[in-house]
């Protein structure tokens, strides 16, 4: 086993021995291979660099109690990458190729998959970029698909301890009919400055509002938003300009089928935060991160508590994470084993 302080990992890059690389040329993908070279070699004129023709994904590998390793819904990441690719006129990475690439990278780096109960996981970063010799604004003819990985701990410092967020009125992350629903780097570039302001004020991240009216919550810069009402509803925003979070759709299903809550995707007005007794951010990196309070202009709205996770958020967390680590039976098709 490698010598890593698993319990104290943050969300940081670590160069692992192997990554997967595949090249698209003349209308087709090559076989793909594992590589020990962590540097990408690409033309200075690559459209990914100039015009943001790139997309990425994020998913995790989990070590179970028996020492096995499994992926959580990688088919959904493959499908989302295909949707993003459509929006940016990039070729699809077939679902089978995507999943096999993820499995191969996990297997090749298996000693870096954190131990069960360390609280850490192996984060996989699939990346699709337009490359080649093009300088006009047009789609690339050639593409690189790579998957690399690293062990990570919590994305937000608190983990399951609540942290606070701030609403952005000065900046949006996406335009109403833009690329908000696609996992493209440009959305994150747009979020760097508001994210920086949030961090300098000790907030974990930004809550973005719908870009057309600034009346409704869209999502967090790096995760989706959910709230729990006193009537036992799990509510999460529905909007064409938020990233369709795989964690969010999993929670909608688990809230309904396992916790007996009413699961609702709908409008979440920023001036109606009183509806919610609990709130959280959810995503692959964020897992479920309880929101203690939200700074909305001059008002600081506290949900359940600034220090303690609420009971329903805790139950959702236990169910989701229990499934991801193999302690709780998953709905059919959610778990993909990695042969090691
Ligand atoms: N929203 C944004 C902006 C994200 O970056 C992420 C992370 O992937 C999510 C939501 C959560 O999506 P998922 O649950 O698929 O990881
Ligand atoms: C993920 O949760 O996988 C993400 O992509 C969020 C990220 C910006 C770290």
């Amino acid at each position: 086993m490698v010598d890593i302080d698993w319990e104290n990992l943050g969300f940081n890059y670590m160069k692992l021995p192997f990554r997967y690389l595949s090249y698209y040329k003349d209308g087709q993908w090559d076989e793909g291979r594992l590589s020990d070279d962590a540097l990408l070699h690409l033309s200075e004129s690559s459209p990914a660099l100039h015009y943001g023709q790139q997309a990425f994904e994020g998913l995790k590998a989990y070590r179970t109690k028996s020492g096995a390793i499994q992926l959580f819904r990688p088919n959904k990441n493959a499908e989302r990458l295909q949707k993003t690719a459509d929006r940016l006129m990039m070729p699809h990475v077939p679902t089978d190729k995507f999943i096999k690439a993820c499995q191969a990278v996990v297997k090749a780096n298996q000693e870096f998959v954190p131990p069960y109960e360390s609280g850490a996981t192996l984060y996989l970063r699939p990346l699709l970029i337009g490359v080649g010799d093009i300088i006009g604004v047009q789609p690339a003819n050639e593409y690189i698909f790579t998957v690399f990985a690293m062990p990570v701990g919590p994305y937000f410092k608190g983990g399951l301890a609540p942290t606070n967020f701030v609403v952005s009125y000065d900046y949006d992350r996406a335009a109403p009919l833009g690329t908000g629903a696609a996992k493209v780097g440009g959305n994150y570039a747009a979020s760097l400055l508001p994210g920086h302001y949030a961090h300098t004020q000790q907030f974990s991240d930004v809550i973005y509002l719908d870009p057309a009216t600034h009346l409704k919550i869209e999502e967090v810069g790096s995760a989706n938003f959910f709230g729990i009402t006193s009537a036992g509803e799990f509510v999460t925003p529905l909007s064409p300009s938020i990233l369709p979070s795989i964690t969010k759709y999993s929670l909608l299903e688990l809230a309904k089928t396992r916790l007996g809550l009413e699961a609702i995707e709908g409008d979440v007005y920023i001036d109606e935060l009183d509806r919610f007794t609990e709130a959280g951010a959810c995503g692959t990196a964020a897992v479920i991160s309880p929101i203690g309070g939200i700074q909305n202009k001059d008002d600081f709205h506290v949900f359940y508590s600034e220090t303690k996770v609420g009971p329903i958020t805790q139950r959702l967390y236990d169910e989701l994470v229990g499934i991801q680590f193999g302690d709780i039976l998953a709905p059919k098709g959610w778990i993909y084993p990695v042969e090691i």
Side-chain angles (χ1 to χ4, degrees):
M1 208 50 170
V2 286
D3 184 21
I4 289 176
D5 182 7
W6 305 108
E7 274 80 10
N8 293 308
L9 282 173
F11 195 84
N12 301 308
Y13 177 72
M14 187 187 292
K15 195 201 296 185
L16 297 201
F18 298 103
R19 71 274 309 120
Y20 173 89
L21 270 176
S22 185
Y23 209 91
Y24 181 94
K25 204 177 171 176
D26 300 327
Q28 55 186 9
W29 287 106
D30 71 9
E31 219 6 62
R33 64 190 169 89
L34 290 173
S35 163
D36 61 6
D37 183 0
L39 299 180
L40 291 173
H41 299 269
L42 44 103
S43 167
E44 61 191 2
S45 72
S46 294
L49 300 178
H50 298 257
Y51 307 125
Q53 199 199 19
Q54 63 84 247
F56 71 99
E57 272 301 326
L59 69 162
K60 285 175 169 174
Y62 304 81
R63 175 89 64 184
T64 69
K65 200 173 191 171
S66 69
I69 304 175
Q70 57 189 32
L71 299 172
F72 181 71
R73 313 192 78 179
N75 55 321
K76 293 290 165 195
N77 294 91
E79 288 162 19
R80 188 170 63 191
L81 184 61
Q82 289 159 6
K83 287 208 181 87
T84 302
D86 287 339
R87 180 68 179 80
L88 265 60
M89 297 197 70
M90 301 194 282
H92 283 190
V93 175
T95 301
D96 189 47
K97 182 180 180 75
F98 180 98
I99 295 173
K100 285 200 171 114
C102 292
Q103 288 168 326
V105 171
V106 175
K107 182 175 180 178
N109 296 295
Q110 58 182 282
E111 55 187 341
F112 292 89
V113 180
Y116 176 72
E117 276 188 336
S118 63
T121 49
L122 188 80
Y123 183 71
L124 293 152
R125 174 51 63 86
L127 177 69
L128 174 63
I129 58 176
V131 298
D133 301 336
I134 284 186
I135 201 61
V137 180
Q138 54 181 284
N141 293 322
E142 298 177 20
Y143 294 84
I144 292 174
F145 173 58
T146 178
V147 181
F148 58 99
M150 70 222 73
V152 297
Y155 186 72
F156 294 120
K157 273 211 184 72
L160 244 196
T163 59
N164 299 329
F165 291 70
V166 59
V167 178
S168 170
Y169 284 91
D170 293 336
Y171 301 99
D172 297 319
R173 69 177 277 283
L177 299 174
T179 55
K183 203 158 169 64
V184 299
N187 297 339
Y188 298 83
S191 76
L192 291 176
L193 187 61
H196 169 73
Y197 289 143
H199 295 146
T200 54
Q201 296 172 277
Q202 314 309 319
F203 295 106
S204 276
D205 204 344
V206 174
I207 304 264
Y208 291 98
L209 302 179
D210 74 289
T213 69
H214 284 178
L215 295 176
K216 296 179 270 183
I217 291 186
E218 291 252 292
E219 65 174 320
V220 175
S222 50
N224 274 184
F225 173 89
F226 69 86
I228 309 290
T229 69
S230 53
E233 297 157 324
F234 174 93
V235 185
T236 183
L238 181 65
S239 156
S241 50
I242 66 179
L243 192 79
S245 156
I246 294 158
T247 315
K248 186 260 298 284
Y249 284 115
S250 304
L251 289 176
L252 277 163
E253 194 170 327
L254 296 174
K256 196 165 143 195
T257 59
R258 305 260 172 118
L259 272 69
L261 303 174
E262 190 164 345
I264 302 167
E265 271 187 290
D267 290 337
V268 176
Y269 287 92
I270 187 64
D271 62 359
E272 292 180 359
L273 293 179
D274 281 344
R275 282 172 80 187
F276 301 117
T277 49
E278 299 177 36
C282 64
T284 299
V287 193
I288 290 181
S289 299
I291 299 180
I294 290 183
Q295 186 75 44
N296 178 28
K297 294 187 174 155
D298 290 337
D299 178 52
F300 184 66
H301 182 94
V302 175
F303 294 97
Y304 183 73
S305 148
E306 272 191 84
T307 51
K308 278 192 293 214
V309 54
I312 309 235
T313 306
Q314 177 76 57
R315 281 175 63 204
L316 283 166
Y317 178 91
D318 291 344
E319 193 69 32
L320 175 73
V321 172
I323 287 170
Q324 291 172 329
F325 282 98
D327 296 327
I328 295 178
L329 189 66
K332 200 163 176 283
W334 281 21
I335 295 298
Y336 284 63
V338 177
E339 267 178 44
I340 51 175

